[in-house]
Amino acid sequence: KNSFAYRMEKDGELWIEGDAGGLQLADATLSAQWSLVPVSAYSHLKASLIAALKVPTGRTRYGFGSGRLDVGLFLPVEFGCDPWSLYAMPGFIRYSDPHTRGADVSVHPSASFLIGAAYDYSERLQLLAQLNYFSSPLEKTGVGMIDDGAVELALGFRYRANPTWQVEFAFCEDLFTRAAPDFNLHLGVTRFFTTGLRKQK
């Protein structure tokens, strides 16, 4: 009672085992984004390609990372008509079999899709609603609520404090499935930088 416990096994072999207390570093993700639609003041459509690489910086024995490199490709598309914006992003992730503490675990590629809407409440505040889907990367377990992937609803906001700082918050609730945590809290802080280069006439 009143103690932390997290343990996962497969075929009687240990996969991960959590530990109470302390601050741990999880895996880190590096990404690059390329615009696919020319930027125009009159264009309501934005589209780009994102390539992401997950670097194994987390400790695998406690479940904070897989110990392997994973790669992903994503295609974010947005259509805006003030004060509303509609957006979607299909994605594909190629996972590597994770390091374990003895268990033999295999994974396969995962597909993802999100669709959402944003409302510009003011010049600084934007309200967000988003629906996320992720197919399960795990080999078939025979448990439908895990094998069917995860559906998640996210509600939140994005606040632009000034031209260089932005804060984003969302409450994410698992729907219909058990492949995701019951709920998540998402917090993002973004710092914008300018190159300082100006076009000469």
Side-chain angles (χ1 to χ4, degrees):
K1 291 184 177 180
N2 300 320
S3 62
F4 178 86
Y6 187 85
R7 181 183 178 92
M8 186 178 294
E9 295 181 351
K10 181 192 174 188
D11 298 329
E13 297 292 336
L14 184 60
W15 180 352
I16 55 178
E17 186 169 25
D19 190 20
L23 183 65
Q24 299 284 344
L25 181 67
D27 283 353
T29 302
L30 305 175
S31 61
Q33 185 170 357
W34 297 270
S35 177
L36 300 178
V37 177
V39 177
S40 169
Y42 303 101
S43 176
H44 296 289
L45 179 67
K46 298 177 183 177
S48 59
L49 178 66
I50 297 176
L53 176 68
K54 194 212 66 174
V55 183
T57 54
R59 299 186 67 183
T60 59
R61 65 184 293 113
Y62 298 126
F64 291 99
S66 68
R68 304 279 189 179
L69 291 172
D70 300 326
V71 295
L73 288 175
F74 306 91
L75 184 67
V77 178
E78 179 182 344
F79 180 81
C81 187
D82 289 339
W84 289 94
S85 297
L86 302 176
Y87 55 90
M89 185 172 72
F92 173 83
I93 303 173
R94 175 65 174 88
Y95 292 100
S96 301
D97 290 347
H99 282 300
T100 71
R101 300 176 69 175
D104 181 16
V105 178
S106 298
V107 295
H108 50 73
S110 174
S112 65
F113 184 78
L114 66 83
I115 185 169
Y119 176 75
D120 294 334
Y121 183 80
S122 67
E123 290 185 0
R124 293 190 174 187
L125 181 63
Q126 190 177 52
L127 305 179
L128 307 170
Q130 184 171 301
L131 194 64
N132 306 321
Y133 168 77
F134 304 92
S135 67
S136 175
L138 296 175
E139 56 191 338
K140 292 297 181 181
T141 65
V143 180
M145 288 188 293
I146 295 178
D147 294 339
D148 293 342
V151 180
E152 184 182 59
L153 174 66
L155 300 173
F157 66 86
R158 183 180 295 124
Y159 181 74
R160 191 78 175 257
N162 54 51
T164 57
W165 287 97
Q166 177 178 281
V167 177
E168 185 176 278
F169 175 83
F171 176 83
C172 311
E173 174 70 18
D174 175 45
L175 302 176
F176 316 121
T177 59
R178 295 294 180 267
D182 184 52
F183 72 91
N184 285 302
L185 297 178
H186 166 82
L187 176 64
V189 179
T190 305
R191 171 70 161 92
F192 296 94
F193 296 91
T194 57
T195 60
L197 300 177
R198 295 185 178 180
K199 184 177 179 181
Q200 299 292 328
K201 294 184 177 181

